[in-house]
Amino acid sequence: MVNTGEINGSSNFMDFLDEPIPDVGTYEDFHTIDWLREKSRDTDRHRKITSKSKESVWEFIKGLLDAWSGWIVMLLIGLLAGTLAGVIDLAVDWMTDLKEGICLNGFWYSHEQCCWTSDETTFDDRNKCPQWQKWSELMIDKSEGASAYILNYFLYTMWALTFAFLAVSLVRVFAPYACGSGIPEIKTILSGFIIRGYLGKWTLLIKTVTLVLVVSSGLSLGKEGPSVHVACCCGNLFSSLLSKYSKNEGKRREVLSAAAAVGVSVAFGAPIGGVLFSLEEVSYYFPLKTLWRSFFAALVAAFTLRSINPFGNSRLVLFYVEYHTPWYMAELFPFILLGVFGGLWGTLFIRCNIAWCRRRKTTSLGKYPVLEVIVVTAITAIIAYPNPYTRRSTSELISELFNDCGALESSQLCDYINDINMTRPVDDIPDRPAGPGVYTAMWQLALALVFKIIITIFTFGMKIPSGLFIPSIAVGAIAGRIVGVGVEQLAYHHHDWIIFRNWCRPGADCVTPGLYAMVGAAACLGGVTRMTVSLVVIMFELTGGLEYIVPLMAAAVTSKWVADAFGKEGIYEAHIHLNGYPFLDVKDEFTHRTLATDVMRPRRGEPPLSVLTQDNMTVEDVETLIKDTDYNGFPVVVSRDSERLIGFAQRRELIIAIKNARQRQDGVVSNSIVYFTEDPPELPANSPHPLKLRRILNLSPFTVTDHTPMETVVDIFRKLGLRQCLVTRSG
């Protein structure tokens, strides 16, 4: 008893642990964050800043800067992501054209830019100008004939293989995380999981470069998913510059939610669609403040992209359309049919793609990623070249399918037989019988549809950046255009049928095939991703077709119903499950009738619960417990006999605190007592210094009683983002 005074005298020396320990409060890789703890830490930080700001003008200015830092980060993300998107668009445009030929004025001009600068371009042949030469013209001075065709064919395939090989090699060597779409992982990260390096600087750089290469190689993939990943990398880059975000994983995820919105905003030129996409599809925790910030960031990004003007048409998108005819009630039937097709295609795609990816994971196929990419690229290029609709880039194909046939269109799809006596305003051309060009286009499109459906299944999920939006839109647009032309010809040849009689008089322009392509595109994208609200908004922002919201909504809802009938998972959730990421989906329903006591560990017959006691374990006991078990934390109880709960200590923080104490504090040895109470326990006179670890103890761990129904527990985990939950009975 005599010595307690001395020990208490030296206790202020031991309270050095009340200073923050470096690294405490951080998380290890592949662990889940504790949302509640992050939230309370941010509240404490905020309180501190508010109370300090009353002390001096400088502190007040620092407080203001802290409040504004969120908006500054959003501005920077918007600027960087918008610039990168513009550069990617310009580079893809140039490299896609490089597969077919080269500009003599300057090899850095794409086909379109090359012919802009030419004086000899006419409106009818706007794609032909002497400055642009195909490879056969340049090498053997022939543009027609078998030898020219074979040479062009060969070089097209070689360029595609070169681009794909470069991309997969860069991903393999420098940034393995840059492959795939990125959206499943970002959903998982936003739900509170930690994957270090997934949003790093190397990933950002390599993903941007390889995205250009793979899209230019003509593979059946898009740049939308990877754009979201790139924007989130920008978000991570800027949030690591400010301690407000870099030290708080919960706050960092608010920035990443907004960055995801920016990604869609620049990929589609759809700022509002981007915000809704982040809210509906990607984010886990989306407070109102994040909504405003996402809105601002998406606006800045869209503005930046608009000032770069990558498509040269002062639009943010490639597929801008203007239709002049309204739609009629009778057309809802084909629109709903397209919705059914979209739902069926979504289900087919998800099942086949997941089966193929599982095969890749479990067989020796996964050991040869480079070979796989080369083979798929070769097959794609060889089959795609002969068909004019699959040879060009997917974005150009979609753009042509969405277009309405005006008087100035030179496309095969607009090869209708004209009436000689037609004197009508130019933009309102009546329905006409299809000419030979349209029939040729129909069977070429049918072949393109089958090819796209099959090849996309094998392309998505390879070890290269690959988005899914553009191939899905292409599949839907091809199907929609075929249906649209069919309905148009039916209406022309049978305008006396009862369904056409009311709204389709001879000589009127009643059916717009381009609108059917747009509706089909929305249906297929909805079938694969299961989006609804954000999908419709993205589609009308993408095309500018505001009066067609009802057909788009009908198709999106139908496709979701049909696809949900076969399985509730969208493609991203299916990939999350395939990769085994810990993700509690908010949309999942919990059907089991169990109680917390049936699920908690340890069960009967298992070794007893590993706990720490509040004041009678030595440093050695704690270290042995840590070494022998692999739990991420331990409940702290009063004693082994009365297991009444005091708090919870995280494994990582125990390790760091003990290591730190051994380095900085004299007298801490293996048989020092560890205590979690305010005052040290009473010890014999010659015992070594005790070690106070109250600072790392969570005094308010989340607890439920043993009779809490499991559905409530699952809801608590989802809504509060818990890391663990303790089950108690009378304390």
Side-chain angles (χ1 to χ4, degrees):
M1 289 300 293
V2 185
N3 263 345
T4 50
E6 285 177 24
I7 290 178
N8 283 346
S10 63
S11 74
N12 28 1
F13 155 69
M14 288 180 302
D15 276 354
F16 89 93
L17 262 179
D18 286 354
E19 307 161 22
I21 307 169
D23 274 348
V24 160
T26 57
Y27 300 92
E28 289 183 38
D29 204 1
F30 298 114
H31 280 219
T32 310
I33 70 166
D34 191 335
W35 286 92
L36 275 182
R37 187 166 83 162
E38 298 299 301
K39 208 163 177 185
S40 69
R41 278 167 59 188
D42 187 58
T43 316
D44 291 347
R45 194 192 64 84
H46 208 86
R47 219 176 276 128
K48 214 181 267 173
I49 287 176
T50 317
S51 65
K52 268 190 171 178
S53 66
K54 293 170 187 158
E55 291 170 12
S56 67
V57 178
W58 173 235
E59 291 294 343
F60 178 70
I61 293 170
K62 265 164 67 177
L64 275 182
L65 283 174
D66 181 77
W68 273 92
S69 60
W71 294 99
I72 294 164
V73 168
M74 292 303 138
L75 178 74
L76 292 171
I77 293 171
L79 289 170
L80 182 60
T83 311
L84 286 175
V87 172
I88 288 172
D89 284 337
L90 290 167
V92 164
D93 206 22
W94 170 66
M95 284 170 74
T96 307
D97 288 341
L98 193 62
K99 290 187 302 188
E100 296 193 10
I102 195 161
C103 186
L104 300 180
N105 289 357
F107 69 90
W108 55 88
Y109 287 128
S110 70
H111 190 163
E112 198 178 0
Q113 293 163 332
C114 192
C115 291
W116 279 346
T117 51
S118 164
D119 303 332
E120 293 137 75
T121 313
T122 60
F123 189 78
D124 294 333
D125 282 346
R126 66 202 105 153
N127 286 338
K128 291 201 178 122
C129 57
Q131 284 83 350
W132 178 263
Q133 290 211 328
K134 288 190 173 169
W135 291 113
S136 61
E137 294 173 338
L138 194 69
M139 290 176 176
I140 55 173
D141 215 11
K142 281 186 185 169
S143 62
E144 304 296 325
S147 56
Y149 184 81
I150 291 168
L151 182 67
N152 283 334
Y153 198 157
F154 174 73
L155 281 166
Y156 178 90
T157 313
M158 287 320 295
W159 277 112
L161 286 170
T162 310
F163 293 159
F165 175 70
L166 259 174
V168 70
S169 310
L170 284 170
V171 168
R172 253 198 96 176
V173 178
F174 294 107
Y177 278 153
C179 67
S181 145
I183 292 182
E185 283 81 3
I186 282 166
K187 277 188 81 148
T188 313
I189 288 174
L190 288 177
S191 79
F193 193 55
I194 288 185
I195 310 180
R196 297 228 185 279
Y198 197 81
L199 301 173
K201 300 180 194 65
W202 270 111
T203 312
L204 171 66
L205 180 67
I206 298 296
K207 189 119 186 178
T208 310
V209 174
T210 50
L211 183 54
V212 173
L213 289 164
V214 292
V215 175
S216 312
S217 71
L219 281 163
S220 179
L221 41 81
K223 62 177 189 335
E224 284 54 40
S227 295
V228 174
H229 189 176
V230 165
C232 285
C233 288
C234 299
N236 193 43
L237 182 72
F238 290 123
S239 60
S240 58
L241 303 177
L242 294 167
S243 64
K244 173 179 177 180
Y245 296 111
S246 63
K247 287 188 180 159
N248 190 313
E249 294 290 344
K251 293 294 284 177
R252 184 192 299 247
R253 274 155 183 68
E254 289 179 24
V255 175
L256 296 179
S257 285
V262 171
V264 175
S265 164
V266 292
F268 281 134
I272 300 171
V275 176
L276 289 173
F277 173 80
S278 181
L279 174 63
E280 180 183 3
E281 189 59 33
V282 196
S283 294
Y284 195 79
Y285 170 65
F286 203 84
L288 201 57
K289 184 170 63 180
T290 308
L291 183 74
W292 301 329
R293 288 188 176 164
S294 314
F295 189 72
F296 172 68
L299 161 85
V300 173
F303 179 76
T304 310
L305 189 61
R306 169 71 184 73
S307 33
I308 294 173
N309 195 5
F311 302 115
N313 58 0
S314 303
R315 303 248 183 258
L316 289 177
V317 285
L318 203 52
F319 326 127
Y320 191 79
V321 286
E322 289 177 50
Y323 303 134
H324 300 290
T325 44
W327 58 277
Y328 298 91
M329 280 310 287
E331 288 184 284
L332 269 180
F333 181 66
F335 292 154
I336 286 172
L337 275 182
L338 282 170
V340 173
F341 169 77
L344 293 172
W345 136 255
T347 305
L348 169 88
F349 176 80
I350 292 171
R351 295 216 170 150
C352 297
N353 180 256
I354 290 297
W356 179 250
C357 288
R358 186 170 288 121
R359 216 192 142 121
R360 182 188 291 128
K361 267 180 152 33
T362 51
T363 61
S364 56
L365 175 72
K367 293 176 192 156
Y368 308 106
V370 178
L371 188 67
E372 186 191 4
V373 172
I374 294 294
V375 171
V376 173
T377 311
I379 294 171
T380 308
I382 289 165
I383 300 178
Y385 189 81
N387 186 338
Y389 291 106
T390 47
R391 183 189 313 174
R392 67 187 57 178
S393 76
T394 321
S395 303
E396 285 176 34
L397 167 67
I398 296 168
S399 182
E400 184 167 326
L401 292 169
F402 280 2
N403 254 337
D404 192 11
C405 285
L408 310 171
E409 284 299 327
S410 56
S411 150
Q412 246 193 333
L413 281 171
C414 296
D415 181 25
Y416 290 96
I417 298 164
N418 283 321
D419 186 3
I420 320 290
N421 324 332
M422 185 176 76
T423 51
R424 300 285 305 267
V426 165
D427 64 347
D428 193 20
I429 297 174
D431 284 351
R432 303 158 289 174
V438 175
Y439 288 115
T440 314
M442 283 301 102
W443 69 259
Q444 284 178 344
L445 280 176
L447 287 175
L449 178 65
V450 175
F451 169 66
K452 284 274 181 208
I453 284 178
I454 295 170
I455 202 73
T456 309
I457 290 170
F458 296 102
T459 310
F460 186 70
M462 291 197 301
K463 293 283 174 243
I464 43 174
S466 52
L468 193 58
F469 278 46
I470 290 282
S472 308
I473 288 179
V475 167
I478 295 172
R481 187 75 186 212
I482 294 172
V483 171
V485 172
V487 172
E488 179 190 49
Q489 293 307 306
L490 257 183
Y492 177 80
H493 292 294
H494 304 280
H495 49 74
D496 49 350
W497 284 10
I498 192 155
I499 43 171
F500 299 125
R501 199 182 299 155
N502 302 336
W503 54 277
C504 204
R505 296 177 316 285
D509 175 18
C510 32
V511 180
T512 312
L515 170 61
Y516 285 77
M518 191 164 125
V519 171
C524 280
L525 191 49
V528 172
T529 59
R530 309 293 159 90
M531 302 189 295
T532 46
V533 185
S534 51
L535 171 71
V536 172
V537 175
I538 285 174
M539 284 311 290
F540 74 69
E541 278 192 276
L542 190 61
T543 52
L546 273 177
E547 56 190 284
Y548 304 110
I549 290 182
V550 174
L552 287 173
M553 285 169 81
V557 169
T558 313
S559 100
K560 184 170 168 61
W561 281 342
V562 171
D564 277 352
F566 292 99
K568 288 270 190 280
E569 287 188 322
I571 185 72
Y572 301 130
E573 289 81 13
H575 271 275
I576 286 175
H577 282 174
L578 178 70
N579 291 330
Y581 298 130
F583 182 71
L584 265 184
D585 200 345
V586 186
K587 304 194 248 319
D588 280 356
E589 280 158 27
F590 189 83
T591 48
H592 308 286
R593 301 280 321 210
T594 47
L595 300 176
T597 182
D598 307 325
V599 181
M600 67 181 205
R601 291 297 173 82
R603 307 246 172 97
R604 287 186 185 84
E606 289 181 0
L609 186 67
S610 304
V611 292
L612 299 168
T613 53
Q614 66 175 2
D615 58 6
N616 58 8
M617 283 176 84
T618 62
V619 171
E620 191 175 9
D621 295 340
V622 176
E623 288 183 322
T624 312
L625 181 67
I626 289 172
K627 202 166 85 195
D628 293 347
T629 61
D630 54 0
Y631 305 121
N632 283 319
F634 305 95
V636 178
V637 295
V638 175
S639 69
R640 296 267 166 184
D641 310 323
S642 90
E643 294 202 327
R644 279 192 99 92
L645 185 68
I646 305 283
F648 191 83
Q650 301 270 5
R651 172 197 189 87
R652 177 180 165 83
E653 306 191 349
L654 278 170
I655 296 172
I656 292 170
I658 290 175
K659 184 177 155 198
N660 213 45
R662 285 187 175 233
Q663 285 170 355
R664 292 178 46 189
Q665 191 178 349
D666 299 329
V668 170
V669 287
S670 293
N671 57 349
S672 300
I673 293 283
V674 172
Y675 68 98
F676 292 94
T677 48
E678 273 296 344
D679 302 315
E682 295 176 2
L683 298 172
N686 54 354
S687 56
H689 276 308
L691 172 60
K692 179 176 182 181
L693 291 183
R694 190 172 178 86
R695 177 162 185 96
I696 63 165
L697 184 66
N698 176 5
L699 288 166
S700 54
F702 206 92
T703 56
V704 294
T705 61
D706 51 351
H707 286 290
T708 312
M710 234 4 245
E711 55 223 72
T712 312
V713 178
V714 170
D715 246 9
I716 291 171
F717 267 97
R718 273 184 197 148
K719 298 209 165 96
L720 296 175
L722 296 186
R723 198 179 146 137
Q724 71 279 312
C725 175
L726 306 178
V727 184
T728 58
R729 177 186 286 155
S730 59

